[in-house]
Amino acid sequence: MPKRAVPAETAPPASAQAVTLRLPRHRRSVSRARAALREQLALWHVDAEVSGDAALLLSELVTNAVKARATPGREIGVLFESDGARLRLEVSDASDDQPVLKHARDDDESGRGLALVAELAHRWGTEPRDGVGKVVWAELLVRPDESEGGKRA
């Protein structure tokens, strides 16, 4: 996934740590991305509650990318980035269709994913991707894992 310019107000400092993944557009990629994120957040000593929220957010974003209308065979890009104070999750796909925040009815079986993202994320949004497609991102404020002596990512 090529690095792209991020608006100054959302760009992490140069000291940020980042992990990128390329995954097939397949439903199994949701659990693979979530497992990789949990492993990385443990290495960064991120608080369990933040880790749980991040895993749920990433699951929703990757699920949307898997379901996006795109040319078959295109991969999904995933990025986790932390500067110690915040965690940024990005998922890119080859679809230009923008995600739409829906208000699902009680009897709807789907359509709540972006509502969860909007509720749990400190901030979230979309950006065009270099070339074709888009990046959907979400940010969480990071708290250190108290069991690790307050170390920060």
Side-chain angles (χ1 to χ4, degrees), residues 43-63:
L43 292 172
W44 287 340
H45 305 290
V46 173
D47 171 88
E49 183 178 341
V50 174
S51 294
D53 288 350
L56 179 56
L57 288 174
L58 186 64
S59 292
E60 295 300 333
L61 297 180
V62 174
T63 297

Side-chain angles (χ1 to χ4, degrees), residues 28-149:
R28 286 190 304 256
S29 292
V30 177
S31 61
R32 289 178 182 158
R34 192 173 49 241
L37 175 66
R38 286 189 184 277
E39 182 177 316
Q40 188 60 49
L41 294 181
L43 292 172
W44 287 340
H45 305 290
V46 173
D47 171 88
E49 183 178 341
V50 174
S51 294
D53 288 350
L56 179 56
L57 288 174
L58 186 64
S59 292
E60 295 300 333
L61 297 180
V62 174
T63 297
N64 286 350
V66 166
K67 292 179 177 179
R69 289 186 303 142
T71 305
R74 295 287 184 142
E75 291 181 315
I76 296 168
V78 177
L79 175 128
F80 331 132
E81 192 165 47
S82 178
D83 65 4
R86 65 184 169 160
L87 171 67
R88 184 176 176 99
L89 307 172
E90 293 184 3
V91 177
S92 61
D93 63 54
S95 172
D96 289 323
D97 294 343
Q98 295 296 308
V100 177
L101 181 61
K102 298 176 185 172
H103 299 284
R105 297 185 314 257
D106 290 343
D107 59 340
D108 288 343
E109 293 184 18
S110 64
R112 293 176 180 79
L114 284 180
L116 281 171
V117 171
E119 182 67 27
L120 293 175
H122 174 66
R123 300 176 347 149
W124 75 279
T126 64
E127 300 170 3
R129 189 172 83 165
D130 288 341
V132 64
K134 66 182 172 300
V135 175
V136 183
W137 57 269
E139 290 182 353
L140 291 164
L141 299 179
V142 175
R143 292 190 304 268
D145 183 348
E146 298 301 324
S147 68
E148 292 294 328

